[in-house]
Structures are given as structure tokens and as C-alpha cells.
Amino acid sequence: MKNAHLQYSIKRTLEVDEIIKLYLEGASTTEIAKLSNVSPRYIRMILSDHNIEKRPFGSWKRKYKLNEDYFKTWSKNMAYILGFFIADGFVSNDFQTIGFAQKEKYILEQIRDELGSNQPLYQNKQTGVYMLYLNSKVMKNDLMEIHGITPNKSLDIKFPYVPEVYLNHFIRGYFDGDGNINSHGYVVSFVGGSLDFMTALENHLKARGFEMYLTKNEKHIRLQAC
């Protein structure tokens, strides 16, 4: 048993306290195992070692607040968060979960508050990145069916329909997630993995009078505005 603990702890991506918090807040052992890069059996071992009472199989209860219908209605803030999500968010392939990841904690705190949630943030101790996990079938379906965001969005995302009045806010959100400013010159860059999305973004920015340059390599697509 000790050898098993050692074997899994080496490749585990979440700390024990993070695993326990996720379980106490309603996540399943299977979901936590996927996030932690270990098996569900190992997660159950950790819970037993720390005397955490197990829930009946299949039970789930929302502990934290959330406006599940947030992405149904356009607003300046919704457009910004949608753009930010496309840059730094993820849709779970196997679970009713979406999430945001970001090194700047305050950004996720503001997004969490805007979504009407009091969900705690988690920090990956290895990378320092903060994560906001939200369990919601409604929100996941809205992002996929209304806005076309899939679990493999980094490579195949298409530019979603955004009302013209909110387009600047959407682009600003995407920039805050996957953009940067060159400190040595007047160059603004956007980075992405989907050629379809980046080409559409290029066209939107050109229509606003920006001079754009799109380059592609094996790792990503870069769009620069001068």
C-alpha cells in the first residue's frame, strides 16, 4: 500500500488538501482523479486516510451559488467573460464541468463574482496557476450549443456570433486571456490555436482600421497589430 501511495504521489497534479476540498464541494472521485492524473481508487485511498466521510454512490448536491443561465443573455460583461473563456477556459469532455485557469487570482475572483458564485478558487502548487471549477450542466450546454465552444476548443474553435455592440468587449476579454503587449515597441499580439478563429479575429480588427499580421508555426498562431 505504501508503494502505491508513493507511485501515485509522484505523478499526482493536485495536492491532498485540494483533492479533499474538491470532494467536499461535490466533485466525484472519478472527476477528481482525472484532474489529479491518478486513478479513482487512489482518490478513495486519500479520503480514507484522512477520515473523510464518503457520499453514497451517485449522490450530488450543489454547495455553492451560481447563475447557471449567465451565458444566455448578452451584456458587456458577458461578452468579455465569453472572450476570456475562449482564451483561458475549458469544457470538460466527460463531466458537467467548465473552468477557468489564470495566473492572476483577482481576474478569476471578479469573474466568479460576476457569475453569481461563491465557489473557492484552487491553485496548482506546481504551476502557480489559479483555477475556478464550476459544475453546471446548463452552463456547459449553453457554452457548447449557443456559443459553439467544445472540449477541443483550442484547435477547432470558430469565432462565435457576437452582437456588434458587444464585439469590442469580447475581443478585450480574449486579449486579457491570450494577448500581450510588446514592452519594446507599439505591438499588440493575440495568440491562438485555431486558424479559423484567428482569421476571423484578424478580419474584425482590420475592419476597425488596425494593420494586422498573421503568422503560424507548429505551436500556435500569432496575430499582431501595429
Side-chain angles (χ1 to χ4, degrees):
M1 188 67 70
K2 288 183 178 180
N3 289 336
H5 272 288
L6 179 60
Q7 176 186 356
Y8 279 113
S9 64
I10 291 174
K11 67 176 185 177
R12 192 184 66 222
T13 56
L14 291 180
E15 298 295 325
V16 170
D17 60 337
E18 294 174 309
I19 289 172
I20 293 173
K21 285 180 181 179
L22 281 171
Y23 183 79
L24 292 176
E25 288 161 7
S28 70
T29 54
T30 301
E31 184 173 6
I32 299 170
K34 185 172 182 179
L35 294 171
S36 304
N37 193 37
V38 295
S39 69
R41 178 174 177 272
Y42 178 67
I43 297 299
R44 292 191 291 270
M45 287 166 53
I46 288 179
L47 297 175
S48 295
D49 289 347
H50 291 80
N51 299 314
I52 304 300
E53 184 177 356
K54 311 297 192 307
R55 297 190 301 269
F57 180 77
S59 67
W60 185 86
K61 181 180 180 182
R62 179 176 297 285
K63 182 177 180 180
Y64 295 101
K65 298 183 297 181
L66 177 64
N67 177 8
E68 294 191 272
D69 295 318
Y70 183 82
F71 289 106
K72 285 182 169 70
T73 306
W74 284 102
S75 69
K76 294 179 180 179
N77 287 344
M78 191 277 258
Y80 172 89
I81 292 176
L82 183 65
F84 188 91
F85 183 83
I86 288 177
D88 274 345
F90 67 88
V91 175
S92 172
N93 192 43
D94 301 315
F95 306 103
Q96 305 299 342
T97 303
I98 70 163
F100 297 80
Q102 178 49 232
K103 288 187 176 181
E104 300 294 340
K105 183 180 180 181
Y106 77 93
I107 295 178
L108 294 190
E109 289 175 334
Q110 292 175 352
I111 289 175
R112 176 191 61 191
D113 295 344
E114 173 66 17
L115 296 178
S117 178
N118 56 347
Q119 178 77 39
L121 303 181
Y122 303 100
Q123 185 182 32
N124 186 309
K125 304 301 183 182
Q126 296 179 354
T127 64
V129 172
Y130 289 93
M131 293 165 285
L132 173 62
Y133 297 115
L134 300 169
N135 295 306
S136 172
K137 180 179 180 180
V138 173
M139 190 168 278
K140 176 182 177 179
N141 286 346
D142 285 348
L143 286 170
M144 295 180 68
E145 296 174 9
I146 298 176
H147 304 293
I149 302 173
T150 67
N152 299 317
K153 69 176 182 61
S154 61
L155 297 178
D156 62 14
I157 184 69
K158 297 184 183 301
F159 202 97
Y161 164 76
V162 181
E164 182 68 24
V165 67
Y166 300 121
L167 192 54
N168 289 348
H169 302 284
F170 173 84
I171 294 174
R172 180 168 56 89
Y174 186 81
F175 177 80
D176 282 354
D178 267 341
N180 63 80
I181 299 175
N182 189 328
S183 60
H184 301 295
Y186 300 98
V187 179
V188 174
S189 298
F190 298 81
V191 178
S194 167
L195 181 60
D196 187 289
F197 180 91
M198 297 300 285
T199 300
L201 177 59
E202 178 187 23
N203 292 334
H204 282 299
L205 292 172
K206 282 183 175 179
R208 283 160 171 72
F210 291 97
E211 188 174 354
M212 306 304 302
Y213 300 92
L214 190 149
T215 58
K216 182 180 180 181
N217 60 34
E218 294 180 356
K219 294 183 178 180
H220 56 251
I221 302 162
R222 183 176 297 275
L223 183 62
Q224 294 183 319
C226 301

